[in-house]
Amino acid sequence: MRNAPTILHLDMDAFFASVEQASKPSLRGKAVVVGGLGPRGVVATASYEARVFGVHSAMPMAQARRLAPNAAYLVPRFGLYRAISEQVMALLRELSPLVEPLSLDEAFVDLEAGGAAWDEESARRTGKKLRTDIRAVTGLTGSVGLAASKMLAKIASEQAKPDGLVLIEPGTERALLGPMPVRTLPGVGPATGDHLRRAGISTVQELAEAGEDELVRLLGKAHGHALYAMALARDERPVVAEREAKSVSVEDTYDVDIHDRLRVGLEVQRLADRCVRRLREAGLSGRTIVLKVRRYDFSTLTRSETLRGPTDDPAVIREAAARLLDSVDTTGGVRLLGVGVSGLADYTQEDLFAQAMPTRAVAEVPEEAVAEGVVERPEPVERHWRAGQDVRHAEYGPGWVQGSGLGRVTVRFETPQSEPGRVRTFLVDDPALESADPLPLVPDLPHPPTLLTDPPGTPPDGPGGCRAGNVGQDAEADRGSDTGPGSQGAVARA
């Protein structure tokens, strides 16, 4: 392990919720919860004001509403989050060529590799400047940890939250780690933590005192060796600039179980198309198509089919997903569907490898709505108002949806640079009201971010949406957003 604290870990503070507060002046200083708004929705992240009430990531949204009934509950805006994340990552890449993104809001940086730091003083100076630059470019805050290893740098950033900087001085690591709970160490989850607790090991110091042989006996060779080294503050893992994406997938959880087989098929086709969009955005293709089905009784089935060559052809992936669905019994009802592609490559085989059959007529049916086997004309997507959605009114200008229901939609008219705005209510089909792109958090940037948005009508994604190894990652989302059809339209209270 290096001697100087030149590994930096950046963690943006309550990232999704902070973006929403920065976008919406009326929510600043108030409890904000971002995630899936349907009965089966899950919290993606909560502002620090909401955490006071016990709300946290991965919590069922229904439980969050009971704990913080007056919080603002908003759907995620992943296009905006990705755009802001790119601004932050660009600042990190100015410091070093070795930047390891873990998610949209978190990354490691090897400062020594870029000549940005070589000792305690230069590391602290660089960390302070980075925090200042992030605030200037995005208007948001991030917490910085500096240490001689990745493990310690991450622990330092946790101690720095919110909006702080902590540097762990070389030589103090053992004393710092000793009293901490074993769950502090990477790789110690609830099960391992309980196993160690039953063996009388609750702190990192007790872990070190137990000895390597005892840990190997308790946890197995690989895990035991690794945890003993970490208990001694040893972590030799390097910062890796690029991590290979293993798969790209999307999935949706439904508020009401789907029983109609035709609608199940159409949902699978829609998910396949979304997965293809993610593949193409990342410049990838894949050989193995995976279908995930969670049934009414919570049993989860996974089926896969491997093609002769990698593809990003939507017809091929739709057909493969449809074939996989044919092997699954959905008569009892389906609560979750997912389509993924693995065996990724950065090229696509020629058509002779495609394995595609003629596209089924069902794939041409509009994907938005099929009920009881009867295809209905979908409602225009701009009429599907969701809490937190950006809108613009011909008379009142830009604003965001506070809530909708009973044929009406409530909009608060304000911008990131305005004072808290007024609230007005309209009919949901008011022709003067339309969907809009998010406004920049910081005006007049020399190089404003380009929003990475999905085509109109695409439901928000994230867990319960897009998972893509290193593609379109979303740490806070991975901790639990659940945003599928039917997971929208809850009222946000400001």
Side-chain angles (χ1 to χ4, degrees):
M1 187 172 71
R2 67 185 71 197
N3 294 321
T6 55
I7 299 296
L8 181 148
H9 181 261
L10 171 70
D11 198 346
M12 299 296 290
D13 299 322
F15 183 47
F16 295 176
S18 293
V19 171
E20 298 303 335
Q21 289 176 319
S23 297
K24 303 170 173 64
S26 59
L27 298 185
R28 292 170 190 168
K30 297 183 180 180
V32 174
V33 181
V34 179
L37 301 185
R40 294 174 179 168
V42 179
V43 175
T45 192
S47 69
Y48 287 99
E49 295 85 356
R51 296 180 191 187
V52 171
F53 298 98
V55 180
H56 58 78
S57 300
M59 173 182 285
M61 191 63 79
Q63 182 181 355
R65 290 182 185 277
R66 289 193 295 270
L67 293 172
N70 294 320
Y73 290 86
L74 309 175
V75 295
R77 297 184 294 164
F78 286 109
L80 179 59
Y81 305 154
R82 285 192 290 264
I84 296 172
S85 175
E86 277 303 308
Q87 291 179 303
V88 174
M89 295 302 165
L91 291 174
L92 298 183
R93 294 185 189 103
E94 291 178 3
L95 299 177
S96 172
L98 292 183
V99 176
E100 182 178 340
L102 304 180
S103 63
L104 290 180
D105 64 335
E106 187 179 5
F108 286 111
V109 185
D110 187 330
L111 299 177
E112 187 175 12
W118 51 91
D119 59 12
E120 294 178 37
E121 181 181 353
S122 59
R124 190 183 299 274
R125 185 170 60 247
T126 299
K128 288 181 178 179
K129 183 178 185 303
L130 173 64
R131 293 178 60 236
T132 300
D133 290 345
I134 289 173
R135 186 185 289 273
V137 170
T138 69
L140 305 175
T141 64
S143 295
V144 168
L146 292 158
S149 69
K150 291 169 72 172
M151 176 187 73
L152 292 168
K154 184 171 176 62
I155 290 172
S157 70
E158 287 296 322
Q159 292 184 327
K161 281 185 167 293
D163 190 20
L165 182 150
V166 168
L167 183 147
I168 298 178
E169 298 179 0
T172 67
E173 297 93 346
R174 291 285 301 276
L176 175 74
L177 285 176
M180 291 184 174
V182 292
R183 289 287 304 276
T184 303
L185 300 181
V188 182
T192 301
D194 288 343
H195 189 50
L196 291 170
R197 181 178 50 79
R198 289 193 294 271
I201 300 172
S202 299
T203 67
V204 176
Q205 180 62 35
E206 292 169 346
L207 198 65
E209 291 173 350
E212 190 169 13
D213 292 342
E214 176 65 6
L215 295 180
V216 168
R217 186 186 70 80
L218 287 171
L219 305 173
K221 187 174 181 179
H223 204 182
H225 284 315
L227 280 188
Y228 182 68
M230 289 182 180
L232 299 180
R234 299 172 186 164
D235 180 15
E236 303 294 338
R237 294 174 300 161
V239 175
V240 181
E242 297 294 338
R243 294 186 302 159
E244 182 181 358
K246 296 181 179 179
S247 66
V248 173
S249 64
V250 295
E251 62 184 43
D252 276 339
T253 301
Y254 304 97
D255 291 346
V256 178
D257 292 346
I258 302 175
H259 293 82
D260 180 71
R261 182 72 177 189
L262 177 58
R263 185 182 171 196
V264 172
L266 290 170
E267 289 294 327
V268 168
Q269 301 293 289
R270 182 179 62 81
L271 289 167
D273 287 341
R274 283 173 56 194
C275 189
V276 167
R277 284 199 294 270
R278 291 297 176 196
L279 280 172
R280 290 182 170 179
E281 286 173 3
L284 296 171
S285 60
R287 297 182 65 233
T288 301
I289 315 303
V290 181
L291 175 71
K292 178 180 177 182
V293 179
R294 182 167 296 150
R295 299 191 290 192
Y296 68 98
D297 58 358
F298 286 88
S299 62
T300 302
L301 302 177
T302 303
R303 300 287 185 267
S304 64
E305 175 181 320
T306 299
L307 309 178
R308 286 177 287 178
T311 184
D312 65 354
D313 187 323
V316 174
I317 294 174
R318 282 197 301 264
E319 286 296 331
R323 288 195 296 273
L324 295 171
L325 180 62
D326 288 340
S327 66
V328 178
D329 180 9
T330 63
T331 53
V334 171
R335 60 184 289 117
L336 177 147
L337 290 168
V339 174
V341 177
S342 60
L344 301 181
D346 58 1
Y347 65 95
T348 304
Q349 289 281 17
E350 297 297 332
D351 288 346
L352 65 96
F353 292 111
Q355 297 190 358
M357 295 185 294
T359 303
R360 297 179 180 181
V362 71
E364 298 177 2
V365 178
E367 65 183 20
E368 285 80 358
V370 175
E372 302 301 327
V374 178
V375 179
E376 298 179 350
R377 191 175 190 84
E379 185 179 358
V381 72
E382 62 268 22
R383 300 303 105 185
H384 295 168
W385 306 116
R386 302 170 295 162
Q389 177 182 351
D390 295 283
V391 296
R392 177 176 290 275
H393 191 274
E395 180 179 354
Y396 301 109
W400 58 279
V401 174
Q402 247 188 221
S404 64
L406 301 178
R408 286 174 165 74
V409 55
T410 300
V411 177
R412 186 181 287 273
F413 291 98
E414 59 187 6
T415 70
Q417 288 76 47
S418 75
E419 296 296 321
R422 297 187 61 181
V423 174
R424 297 182 183 275
T425 299
F426 308 91
L427 295 176
V428 294
D429 58 356
D430 189 325
L433 189 66
E434 61 182 5
S435 297
D437 290 330
L439 297 173
L441 302 187
V442 178
D444 302 323
L445 285 177
H447 300 292
T450 300
L451 289 182
L452 306 177
T453 54
D454 292 315
T458 302
D461 48 15
C466 173
R467 292 191 183 92
N470 220 41
V471 180
Q473 291 181 69
D474 210 311
E476 299 200 71
D478 281 345
R479 293 193 286 268
S481 168
D482 186 350
T483 54
S487 299
Q488 306 163 358
V491 174
R493 304 177 183 90

